[in-house]
Structures are given as structure tokens and as C-alpha cells.
Amino acid sequence: MRLTVTTAALALAATGALAEEVSYEFEGVQHTGYFAAAESEAPGLVLIFPDWDGIDDYEAGRAEQLTALGYDAFVVDMYGEDTPVGTVEENRAATSELTEDRKKMRRLILAGIDVAEELSAAPNMVVTGYCFGGGVALEMARSEFGNQAAGYTVFHGTLATPEGQGYDGDEVPIQILHGAADESQTLEDLFALTRELEDAGNTYTVEIYSSAPHGFTEPSSDNYQERADHESWEAFTDFLEERIG
């Protein structure tokens, strides 16, 4: 994996005034992440895994919201330029490739961490993800390198644990923010995950928002619910303060 960032972008990063696309190579494929830096020295970096249609203005906006709170943020490109996304069929194919190849998913996560750490000197990291990206965050939490983060937050995420994987109780705290009306990831799916975490002895927190459907934080979606969006963001920022200050 090669990291390529323009000289101008690095200079801006040094002054803390940066919100920029970042190109890097992973296994011969060009990837483009999105980095946003706080105006002053950040106590922590937030690693963001996007939803199933990849990085767009939504994830970039979330990264910039985090810089306003004093954190650095990096959105990881989980697909690369060779993977088409946009239609339901394309998005499903893109996510299926990674859910069926968990080793590749983990290599992509590690590549994203490497890039983020090249860009940010923050001493601590919290990981979050939206929808498919929430499932990626949980994949990292279960991994052998999961404790590189100080905590994990999942927004209306994919919750199922793949066959052959599990939680051992040593994972760092996990926060799950979920809509009660989610028909993609149901309350039954949520309770199955919490039972796994409870049986393993994990530290975890769950917030359930009444009448909130899948994707409730995305303003451009018909599923957007303003109350659940605001309350979940407040819960997340409290978690950031707790985990990295």
C-alpha cells in the first residue's frame, strides 16, 4: 500500500486547516479517502467507515462536524476506483464482495488506519460507521487489531456476526445507536448481538430510537428522522468525550 497526498494538502494539515480528498493505493487499486483536520492539536482521531454507496457529501460532512468539536477525522474508502456504486445492484455487489471476503475487509481497514495515522498525530482513535460501515466497524472491533481503537460506535449498522467469528470480552467499549423501526437490521438482530456481547462480558451501550427506520441519520434519505439523528449524535459526542477527551 502506497500513500499519496499532495504537498499542499500536507502543508494545510500542519496548520490544522484541511478538508481534503486523500489518494492512496491498496493492492494495486487507487483509493480516495477524505481527511478533515481540527484547527488545533486534536486529542483524538475518528475513523469513519461509510455506508454501502461509499464516500459522498454525507460522510464528508460528518468528518467536518467532528473537526468543529476538535477531532481529526478520516473517512476510509472501502471500495476503490474499480468498484462501481450508486445503484442498489451495484451497492449490493460491492458490499457482498467484502462480506464474503473478511480477510480483504480487514486488510482494507488496516490500510485505512495506516493512511489516517500518516495524516493525524492524534494519540487516540475512536471508530464509527454507518449502515454497512457499522458492520465494518464491528469487524475491526472483533479483529486481532481491534484494540488499536479506544471505542466503537455503530449508527444503524449491520449487526450480524459472521460464522466462525465472535467476541471474547476483551474488546474495547462498543456503542450501538439503533432505530426501533429498522426493517433491515431488526430489533431481533440487535438483541442477538447484545446477547453475544453480554455472554462474552463486553462493555457496551445501546440506544434505541422509537419509530426510527434504517438510515435515520441521513438527511437526504426518506428514512431521515431529525430527533433520532440529533439524539444519536449527542450520544456519540458524549462517547467521544468519555473515550478520548
Side-chain angles (χ1 to χ4, degrees), residues 58 62 65 69 130 153 155-156 175 177-178 207 209-210 212 215-219 223-239:
Y58 176 72
R62 290 300 189 187
Q65 279 183 276
L69 298 173
Y130 294 87
T153 296
F155 286 90
H156 41 79
Q175 180 186 57
L177 307 173
H178 196 77
E207 290 202 9
Y209 304 102
S210 61
F216 61 80
T217 66
E218 301 189 39
N223 287 351
Y224 180 68
Q225 190 194 93
E226 184 175 13
R227 177 187 61 81
D229 177 25
H230 291 175
E231 290 184 7
S232 62
W233 185 256
E234 183 177 355
F236 176 46
T237 56
D238 287 347
F239 184 72

Side-chain angles (χ1 to χ4, degrees), residues 5 7-19 35 37-39 72 118-120:
V5 184
T7 303
L10 286 175
L12 286 170
T15 67
L18 171 70
F35 178 63
E39 292 184 2
D72 291 344
E118 288 278 352
L119 295 163
S120 174

Side-chain angles (χ1 to χ4, degrees), residues 151-232:
Y152 292 86
T153 296
V154 176
F155 286 90
H156 41 79
T158 305
L159 303 175
T161 303
E163 185 176 354
Q165 292 192 25
Y167 298 87
D168 58 21
D170 293 329
E171 293 83 8
V172 298
I174 297 170
Q175 180 186 57
I176 303 167
L177 307 173
H178 196 77
D182 192 329
E183 295 180 356
S184 171
Q185 302 292 310
T186 65
L187 289 176
E188 288 75 17
D189 296 324
L190 174 64
F191 297 148
L193 174 59
T194 59
R195 174 51 58 193
E196 287 183 66
L197 296 173
E198 187 67 27
D199 289 347
N202 286 89
T203 298
Y204 65 95
T205 302
V206 176
E207 290 202 9
I208 302 173
Y209 304 102
S210 61
S211 304
H214 190 69
F216 61 80
T217 66
E218 301 189 39
S220 63
S221 167
D222 292 339
N223 287 351
Y224 180 68
Q225 190 194 93
E226 184 175 13
R227 177 187 61 81
D229 177 25
H230 291 175
E231 290 184 7
S232 62

